[in-house]
Amino acid sequence: MKKVKHLMLVSLSALVLFTGCSKNDSPTAQETNTSANEKPKALKVLYATVEAGSEAIIDAAKKYAQQTGIKIEVNTFPYNNLQEKVFSELAQKSDHYDLIAIDTPWVPKIIQHLEPMTTYIKAAKPESLQLNDFIAKAFMDTSVFKKDAPQLNPPQMNEINLDQIVSSGFDIWSLPIQSNVLTVSYRKDLFKDPKNMEAFKKQYNRELAVPQTLDEYLDIAKFFTRDTNNDGKIDLYGTTLMGKKHEANFVDFKSFLSDFGGSIFDANLKPVFNDEKGVKALETYGSWINQHKVTPPGVLTYTWDEVATVFGSGQVAMGMNYHDMKLDPKVKGGETGYFVFPGVDNGGNVVRGPHFGSWGVGISKYSKNKQASYELAEYLTSPEVQKGYLKFNQHVTRKSAYDAAKSLSDPLLKEYYQVLGSSLSVGVGRPRITNYDQVSEAVQIVVNDYLSGKKDAKTALNEGAKQVETLMKQAGY
């Protein structure tokens, strides 16, 4: 999952951070080849740019180099270039990189090229990693896979139990370093306006407050979709969606689908997103655009980038995205707030399923410095280091880091971290398949077909399920 943040992009060239060395003092191959018990002179890290919070990781790597005397070189690439680079390096069985940033959907394709971390974790001091400090749902989705059957989901657990993971035939393949989840940013100034509060209560017979369900969310979106200039043109809309044929479209639909208790596949990897729950989810999603018209007219061209722009400009009352969107200072009286993606009331229990996706740091199977690489991964994901990531707005993966965020001086950032942590605890990850990109695209197409009025929801989803079934057979499932 790409994380959209307004940070300075790092160039495709390597960012090299060495203790007492200049950028040009790149370590030689001889420097990086060491025995298992010998501390290496250098470690090389292949990492993402803003998608996985490169600023925070580069800062931590520099501190690690200063503490250990090990030269750390961090090479950063934007998402598509990084994916290409990771797959290429591993396919060539190259020992150039020791530690690698891994987006969760890549794991089924590259797991045979990764070094399992379980033995390293067991050999370390129990207090060293503090396994149970990770958010369990994010950790299990990001890090725990079965080598010969990576499509299988690990056992569910609220507290991470290493013995149970191993006895179930699973291993730990990375440590979570960044987790993105769908959250909602909203115009708190509009919600707090006394006139809006009075008018909403009169119309809906309840208080204007953060919505808990999709139905409540729609009511608020309809209420705020209006002509504020009295010129006959709607200039404020209730919400954003991401309707373009794009990965953003797929995970948008998947979030609605999870709310309704549905899923992309069943336990046997048969596509089931075209069942009754899937149709209801897609029709609900589409009705916001075509029936209730609570989204801006360009919504079928939106991905996470456009959503951030539209929300920032004050054109919508609420907006969904994978980072903390903020209002432009030019928006008069604007005040931002955040809340967890709403769910569906299932007999008094609100079911929520915001999509989430995490980045992990894993060890290349071909590294000559596996023990040292594990120690660096442990450091980069450690409780104290993750607390330091808060100043970079990093989407941390440890409970203690979220506890630390409660003491932040910035009330807006404090609120966002509270919502982010709560959202991760109920989030739903991606299918664990080798052909994820193909399956995502197939669903994107039929969702867009429905949204653009080419097909009804049932027909579109049936066609999509048939296409996905063919893709799965071709992939050997």
Side-chain angles (χ1 to χ4, degrees):
M1 167 59 58
K2 291 186 180 180
K3 180 183 178 186
V4 187
K5 285 178 68 176
H6 298 293
L7 296 176
M8 182 175 65
L9 287 175
V10 182
S11 70
L12 295 187
S13 60
L15 250 173
V16 187
L17 302 171
F18 297 140
T19 305
C21 298
S22 72
K23 182 174 178 179
N24 295 322
D25 294 332
S26 182
T28 64
Q30 184 179 7
E31 285 180 307
T32 61
N33 295 336
T34 61
S35 67
N37 297 320
E38 183 183 348
K39 186 174 80 170
K41 294 181 180 179
L43 291 171
K44 289 190 176 183
V45 182
L46 180 56
Y47 204 74
T49 50
V50 293
E51 296 90 347
S54 54
E55 267 196 334
I57 276 58
I58 289 168
D59 180 73
K62 184 175 182 179
K63 291 174 182 174
Y64 186 77
Q66 292 169 347
Q67 291 175 22
T68 64
I70 300 173
K71 299 175 182 178
I72 307 296
E73 179 179 323
V74 183
N75 291 179
T76 61
F77 293 82
Y79 189 89
N80 291 335
N81 303 86
L82 176 67
Q83 183 175 11
E84 200 174 296
K85 183 72 172 172
V86 168
F87 283 30
S88 173
E89 288 288 327
L90 296 179
Q92 295 175 52
K93 300 183 177 179
S94 169
D95 64 359
H96 185 75
Y97 289 103
D98 300 293
L99 207 60
I100 295 172
I102 303 166
D103 194 13
T104 308
W106 304 348
V107 177
K109 277 190 176 182
I110 64 175
I111 194 168
Q112 303 295 332
H113 300 284
L114 300 177
E115 176 79 1
M117 289 185 167
T118 311
T119 55
Y120 299 91
I121 294 170
K122 285 186 171 182
K125 295 178 181 179
E127 66 273 15
S128 179
L129 182 59
Q130 297 186 42
L131 203 58
N132 261 325
D133 187 42
F134 285 108
I135 295 174
K137 185 178 278 281
F139 184 87
M140 300 303 290
D141 185 75
T142 308
S143 306
V144 182
F145 288 81
K146 185 173 284 191
K147 182 177 182 180
D148 297 322
Q151 74 276 11
L152 297 180
N153 289 312
Q156 293 187 2
M157 52 185 73
N158 294 323
E159 296 289 331
I160 301 165
N161 187 316
L162 185 58
D163 290 336
Q164 186 181 347
I165 289 171
V166 173
S167 64
S168 301
F170 290 80
D171 262 311
I172 294 170
W173 298 89
S174 71
L175 296 179
I177 200 164
Q178 153 98 14
S179 289
N180 304 315
V181 62
L182 187 66
T183 58
V184 186
S185 303
Y186 75 107
R187 292 279 303 274
K188 189 179 284 189
D189 57 305
L190 296 181
F191 276 61
K192 294 194 314 184
D193 185 292
K195 291 181 180 178
N196 288 334
M197 294 171 70
E198 182 181 355
F200 184 86
K201 188 170 185 178
K202 184 176 181 180
Q203 186 173 345
Y204 291 97
N205 198 32
R206 70 172 193 271
E207 302 296 333
L208 175 57
V210 166
Q212 301 301 311
T213 67
L214 293 177
D215 287 341
E216 291 175 358
Y217 189 101
L218 176 59
D219 286 344
I220 295 171
K222 288 191 291 187
F223 175 76
F224 280 118
T225 300
R226 60 180 68 168
D227 169 16
T228 63
N229 293 321
N230 297 316
D231 59 2
K233 296 179 182 178
I234 294 175
D235 55 355
L236 176 65
Y237 289 87
T239 187
T240 58
L241 290 172
M242 307 182 208
K244 185 176 181 178
K245 189 188 81 62
H246 184 274
E247 173 69 6
N249 157 317
F250 175 64
V251 295
D252 239 12
F253 166 64
K254 190 174 84 62
S255 297
F256 277 72
L257 179 64
S258 298
D259 269 10
F260 282 97
S263 60
I264 302 297
F265 295 104
D266 65 12
N268 299 313
L269 290 181
K270 177 185 176 182
V272 291
F273 58 86
N274 60 324
D275 63 9
E276 189 176 309
K277 297 171 183 175
V279 172
K280 181 66 174 174
L282 184 56
E283 287 180 341
T284 300
Y285 182 76
S287 72
W288 291 12
I289 299 171
N290 295 318
Q291 179 184 342
H292 302 294
K293 300 186 186 301
V294 295
T295 57
V299 70
L300 295 187
T301 67
Y302 287 4
T303 68
W304 28 68
D305 294 327
E306 290 77 17
V307 163
T309 300
V310 169
F311 179 82
S313 66
Q315 296 177 53
V316 292
M318 302 177 288
M320 304 175 193
N321 215 325
Y322 293 86
H323 67 101
D324 52 331
M325 298 192 292
K326 293 183 177 68
L327 288 165
D328 190 293
K330 295 178 182 177
V331 178
K332 187 177 180 180
E335 183 182 356
T336 309
Y338 307 103
F339 60 84
V340 179
F341 178 70
V344 170
D345 190 341
N346 185 15
N349 176 39
V350 177
V351 177
R352 302 176 192 262
H355 167 77
F356 80 93
S358 297
W359 287 88
V361 281
I363 304 168
S364 168
K365 181 180 177 180
Y366 313 109
S367 167
K368 297 281 198 305
N369 310 301
K370 294 186 180 68
Q371 177 62 39
S373 297
Y374 169 75
E375 291 170 6
L376 175 58
E378 185 181 283
Y379 174 84
L380 292 174
T381 60
S382 64
E384 286 308 308
V385 171
Q386 285 218 7
K387 290 173 188 175
Y389 290 163
L390 296 175
K391 64 184 178 184
F392 296 98
N393 285 22
Q394 177 83 346
H395 291 183
V396 288
T397 58
R398 285 188 175 270
K399 291 180 279 190
S400 59
Y402 284 98
D403 286 340
K406 295 175 183 177
S407 300
L408 291 171
S409 58
D410 182 345
L412 185 58
L413 192 56
K414 185 191 301 186
E415 180 179 334
Y416 180 70
Y417 271 118
Q418 181 181 353
V419 169
L420 180 62
S422 298
S423 300
L424 286 173
S425 68
V426 296
V428 177
R430 291 177 169 95
R432 301 175 154 219
I433 50 179
T434 56
N435 58 342
Y436 173 83
D437 290 343
Q438 288 180 310
V439 169
S440 173
E441 185 174 13
V443 178
Q444 293 167 31
I445 290 170
V446 298
V447 168
N448 191 262
D449 281 347
Y450 169 69
L451 297 180
S452 58
K454 296 176 183 176
K455 294 165 186 169
D456 64 82
K458 183 63 176 174
T459 299
L461 291 177
N462 281 343
E463 290 180 5
K466 186 175 180 180
Q467 174 65 15
V468 169
E469 192 168 8
T470 299
L471 290 172
M472 295 300 285
K473 288 178 180 177
Q474 290 173 351
Y477 290 107

